[in-house]
Amino acid sequence: MSSQIALLRGINVSGHNKFPMARQRELMRDLGFEDVTVHLQTGNIVFADPGTPPEQTARTITDRISADLGLSVPVIVRTRDELAAAVEANPYPEATAEPKTLHVVFLSAAPADTAALDAVDPAPYAPDEFRLSGREIYLRTPGGIGRSKLAEKVTRVRLGVTATARNWNTVTKLLALADA
């Protein structure tokens, strides 16, 4: 059976939007999802693909979090195959040798208007770089994401879609869990 992966944005960060791992598992099971695995406490949930479109699954999870916990938590869902395609599409394969320098910003949809992102010139931020590919933005930050002015700029661009970022270690671990 295939899997879906839910990426919750902004939970358990600096004491805000507290949503413990055990409660994440419980909520998913209460929604009827099976084979639920929570990776890290920051909102990475792998579960058996219920056969519903990922966008519908995301809405279901978002609505339930709001109803049960009173939290406004955006959720992005990818199928196992969509996540595998995102891994395969990585435009910076050399960065996988140092996975902490590579991040993927998952978008709820491909942005209809990319003009604001296209206007970001990465040259002044070198060696940091980024690339939009469909519903993902890949960020390569050799000096670390925390000090990257380019990452800060790119993640603040308004694209009209929900976005949440994961480092390469997390992305590949989620794919491995989906394949297990």
Side-chain angles (χ1 to χ4, degrees):
M1 176 176 269
S2 192
S3 298
Q4 285 190 356
I5 300 91
L7 306 167
L8 285 62
R9 184 175 132 206
I11 66 164
N12 300 324
V13 178
S14 302
H16 299 296
N17 287 341
K18 293 183 181 181
F19 190 9
M21 290 173 66
R23 183 66 184 106
Q24 292 175 47
R25 271 190 297 280
E26 179 184 322
L27 181 135
M28 296 297 286
R29 289 182 182 135
D30 288 351
L31 285 169
F33 298 118
E34 298 178 357
D35 302 325
V36 177
T37 301
V38 177
H39 176 64
L40 304 174
Q41 66 180 356
T42 54
N44 305 292
I45 307 170
V46 179
F47 52 98
D49 189 333
T52 56
E55 298 79 17
Q56 182 180 339
T57 302
R59 277 192 304 280
T60 298
I61 296 168
T62 299
D63 291 348
R64 187 60 172 265
I65 291 170
S66 178
D68 286 10
L69 303 172
L71 300 175
S72 178
V73 176
V75 178
I76 294 173
V77 174
R78 294 287 196 267
T79 65
R80 180 262 169 225
D81 290 346
E82 290 171 332
L83 186 62
V87 168
E88 183 67 29
N90 171 21
Y92 308 113
E94 69 284 357
T96 62
E98 290 187 67
K100 67 181 181 185
T101 68
L102 182 59
H103 287 71
V104 181
V105 181
F106 292 93
L107 307 174
S108 58
D113 182 6
T114 62
L117 190 62
D118 295 340
V120 176
D121 179 9
Y125 306 100
D128 292 3
E129 54 190 333
F130 77 96
R131 185 162 313 147
L132 171 66
S133 177
R135 295 184 302 156
E136 284 83 32
I137 299 172
Y138 298 85
L139 277 167
R140 184 179 158 276
T141 58
I145 192 99
R147 292 187 290 206
S148 174
K149 297 296 183 193
L150 179 64
E152 182 180 335
K153 190 164 188 85
V154 167
T155 57
R156 292 191 190 281
V157 170
R158 296 190 188 275
L159 295 171
V161 296
T162 300
T164 188
R166 298 297 187 272
N167 68 41
W168 195 250
N169 279 332
T170 299
V171 171
T172 56
K173 178 63 176 181
L174 291 171
L175 182 55
L177 288 170
D179 285 341

